[in-house]
Amino acid sequence: MQALKIFLVEDDPFFGEVIKYHLMLNPDYTVTLFQTGKECLEKLFLKPDIVCLDFGLPDISGDVLLKKILQINNTVSVIMISGQEDIEVAVNCLKAGAQDYIVKNNNTKDLLWNSIIKIRENRNLQNEVEVLKEKLEQKFSFANTIIGQSDAIKTVFKKIEKAAQSNITVSISGETGTGKEVVANAIHYNSERKNKPFIAVNMAAIPRELIESEFFGHEKGAFTGADNRVIGKFEQADGGTIFLDEIAELDLSLQSKLLRVLQEREVTRIGGTTKIKLNVRLVIATHKDLKQEVVKGNFREDLYYRVIGLPIELPPLRDRKNDVLLLAKHFIDLFTKENKMKTIGLTKGAQEKLLKYPFPGNVRELKSVIDLACVMCDDQQISEENLMFNSLRETDFFLSESKTLKEYTSEIIMYFLKQNKNDVLKTAKQLDIGKSTIYNLIQSVQLKNIAL
């Protein structure tokens, strides 16, 4: 806890000294005693944290002094100490901004002590909240969320910046694993809505029969099992941002209801009649082509025009060139920090291997590969052997580089030989080529390690 600076305003010298002595038993408290309200006002530039104020001062009445103190410094906490047990006086002081009202009696010292402790704890909690907010803003700042220097990602960066400066609806598209939710977070936490809720909803993860209740909420007794009122995601996001991920998965029957909410800017809970006004910023994402979904009849055309807003297309990692190495370094640093490990580097061979691989799983796959490599590496260096790719589309690797036909053919043969456990006859039949072609190509690239 932080040290506290306390002003004590008390015209009774003996009582004032007793209270001061009692409070200063805590070494973290600095207590200054004043006998008049004028002296206190003259020293307010010292910015006390708490003012303990006698209601019956000779020069200024306590209620008037309270208002003047708060006019000068509205962040200071004021505790009123009074010989009056009048409830109305206490209520008026609390309404005027006093944190507490304590009656003078034998328990005054203890009551004041407890009141200051509560104020101190609340102040420290507020400070922690502010620190957390600052960290949250830093976490989702453009510099920390959008890692890369390629032209493709710089174009995205500019659009995110424009999106954050307005309340326009944003539609984010891109392959799975490109970081659509990260971008949505960056837009929200760099906008004027950053202190309001960010509510993320994954359409693909919610059963069809529950989506309407999740979206709009329901009243108690609205349907079987509705034992309590539930506030929907749109209401939860009021004042902030709602992020609808994989919106193309939304059932057609619910698309019309979503359209109505977006048009009217209001929602009615299931089983209710009250229309609840909304102030929500919409961000959507999908890995599908929404235009094609409209053509196929899977997505309403009117809803498409309502949600498309500012489109941001995230490039696949294979189109971001050296960003792969920047991201790899970022993930290495993140993993070593989280696991309290020493600094880990990438060998030249490992860097070349990363740059050659197409990463069909994009940034998400890269992080998975790097996390495993950090665990498997020796001597704080990630080598080629530590980089293990488990792509479901391994054949895409053949097209990741510019090679000759002979080189591509050799790699294809190697791939199918491996799949067929080095069975040349089976591979020749599968590829519809002669056995001699395989033997000659194997010899030409000196693949002596294959048992023929």
Side-chain angles (χ1 to χ4, degrees):
M1 290 186 177
Q2 299 177 352
L4 279 189
K5 186 185 297 182
I6 301 173
F7 280 8
L8 176 59
V9 189
E10 173 58 57
D11 66 326
D12 183 337
F14 176 77
F15 185 77
E17 289 295 341
V18 169
I19 296 296
K20 178 179 178 181
Y21 172 80
H22 183 70
L23 294 179
M24 291 190 69
L25 291 175
N26 188 323
D28 291 335
Y29 294 174
T30 301
V31 183
T32 305
L33 178 60
F34 303 101
Q35 292 187 349
T36 67
K38 182 180 179 183
E39 291 175 341
C40 175
L41 291 173
E42 289 174 348
K43 296 295 183 180
L44 277 180
F45 70 89
L46 295 175
K47 296 182 178 180
D49 297 298
I50 298 176
V51 176
C52 302
L53 181 60
D54 183 9
F55 187 83
L57 294 172
D59 60 335
I60 307 175
S61 65
D63 53 346
V64 174
L65 183 56
L66 169 64
K67 293 177 182 178
K68 288 188 176 183
I69 290 172
L70 294 178
Q71 285 174 356
I72 296 171
N73 183 357
N74 61 7
T75 64
V76 68
S77 298
V78 180
I79 300 174
M80 301 299 297
I81 305 174
S82 174
Q84 299 187 44
E85 297 187 20
D86 190 331
I87 297 298
E88 186 177 353
V89 173
V91 170
N92 289 336
C93 288
L94 294 172
K95 285 183 177 180
Q99 294 290 314
D100 204 350
Y101 185 94
I102 298 173
V103 177
K104 287 184 180 180
N105 55 35
N106 293 333
N107 297 321
T108 299
K109 297 193 302 294
D110 294 333
L111 292 172
L112 182 59
W113 184 274
N114 292 333
S115 183
I116 290 174
I117 287 176
K118 289 179 181 178
I119 291 172
R120 191 185 189 196
E121 289 176 345
N122 287 335
R123 279 179 170 268
N124 280 282
L125 286 174
Q126 289 173 1
N127 290 335
E128 289 178 13
V129 169
E130 291 303 318
V131 169
L132 289 173
K133 282 183 178 179
E134 185 177 342
K135 287 183 178 179
L136 192 62
E137 290 174 13
Q138 292 174 355
K139 178 181 178 181
F140 291 108
S141 67
F142 294 147
N144 292 332
T145 53
I146 314 301
I147 307 295
Q149 298 177 355
S150 63
D151 290 341
I153 208 64
K154 285 180 180 178
T155 300
V156 171
F157 183 93
K158 290 178 181 178
K159 289 188 176 182
I160 294 173
E161 192 171 20
K162 289 185 178 298
Q165 294 171 354
S166 70
N167 285 314
I168 189 173
T169 296
V170 179
S171 57
I172 306 169
S173 60
E175 296 178 5
T176 300
T178 49
K180 294 185 283 294
E181 186 165 353
V182 172
V183 171
N185 272 285
I187 291 171
H188 173 76
Y189 287 105
N190 287 276
S191 73
E192 62 179 11
R193 296 175 179 263
K194 61 186 177 183
N195 294 322
K196 297 295 183 179
F198 174 85
I199 304 296
V201 185
N202 188 336
M203 300 290 94
I206 304 175
R208 175 183 172 183
E209 62 272 13
L210 297 180
I211 289 182
E212 187 174 0
S213 177
E214 284 286 316
F215 268 9
F216 314 128
H218 63 257
E219 298 289 353
K220 181 179 179 180
F223 49 82
T224 303
D227 299 325
N228 297 290
R229 169 187 284 179
V230 171
I231 303 301
K233 300 298 185 183
F234 273 88
E235 276 190 80
Q236 293 176 31
D238 191 37
T241 301
I242 188 166
F243 172 55
L244 303 183
D245 196 9
E246 297 302 346
I247 194 171
E249 304 300 323
L250 185 61
D251 190 81
L252 272 171
S253 62
L254 289 170
Q255 289 179 22
S256 60
K257 295 181 180 179
L258 174 60
L259 177 63
R260 190 180 310 114
V261 169
L262 296 178
Q263 288 176 334
E264 304 298 329
R265 294 287 177 178
E266 61 185 27
V267 65
T268 303
R269 301 189 195 107
I270 299 174
T273 57
T274 303
K275 294 182 178 180
I276 303 161
K277 291 293 183 181
L278 296 174
N279 174 19
V280 177
R281 200 258 182 87
L282 176 66
V283 179
I284 68 156
T286 178
H287 73 280
K288 295 183 178 181
D289 186 334
L290 277 186
K291 285 184 179 179
Q292 290 300 314
E293 293 301 304
V294 171
V295 172
K296 294 176 183 177
N298 297 329
F299 202 82
R300 292 177 62 107
E301 184 176 2
D302 47 5
L303 180 59
Y304 168 81
Y305 288 115
R306 174 65 64 173
V307 301
I308 197 66
L310 171 61
I312 298 178
E313 184 176 358
L314 301 186
L317 190 54
R318 60 183 172 273
D319 293 344
R320 293 176 56 181
K321 302 179 181 177
N322 288 335
D323 283 356
V324 172
L325 299 183
L326 293 175
L327 284 162
K329 179 65 169 59
H330 171 72
F331 292 139
I332 290 172
D333 292 344
L334 193 63
F335 188 87
T336 53
K337 182 179 179 181
E338 290 177 349
N339 292 276
K340 299 179 181 178
M341 299 168 65
K342 295 180 180 179
T343 303
I344 294 177
L346 278 168
T347 65
K348 186 174 181 181
Q351 293 180 34
E352 291 175 351
K353 187 173 182 178
L354 286 172
L355 289 172
K356 289 178 181 178
Y357 185 66
F359 286 102
N362 293 294
V363 179
R364 187 177 295 145
E365 182 183 4
L366 173 60
K367 185 180 187 305
S368 176
V369 168
I370 292 299
D371 286 353
L372 178 58
C374 287
V375 174
M376 301 302 296
C377 73
D378 298 314
D379 302 321
Q380 281 71 59
Q381 286 290 315
I382 293 176
S383 63
E384 295 176 68
E385 292 75 22
N386 302 136
L387 296 172
M388 290 171 267
F389 303 123
N390 297 299
S391 172
L392 298 175
R393 293 177 287 170
E394 193 171 348
T395 51
D396 288 350
F397 191 37
F398 297 142
L399 304 178
S400 62
E401 295 181 87
S402 178
K403 298 179 181 180
T404 64
L405 178 60
K406 187 175 182 180
E407 288 172 330
Y408 276 126
T409 303
S410 298
E411 288 194 7
I412 293 171
I413 291 174
M414 288 172 60
Y415 173 78
F416 283 100
L417 277 172
K418 181 180 178 181
Q419 294 294 311
N420 295 323
K421 298 181 180 180
N422 300 328
D423 186 329
V424 174
L425 293 176
K426 184 176 181 180
T427 302
K429 184 177 180 180
Q430 186 174 4
L431 296 178
D432 195 22
I433 57 176
K435 292 182 294 181
S436 58
T437 302
I438 297 178
Y439 287 128
N440 290 335
L441 285 172
I442 290 174
Q443 291 174 357
S444 69
V445 293
Q446 298 180 344
L447 298 180
K448 298 177 180 179
N449 61 317
I450 298 181
L452 303 177

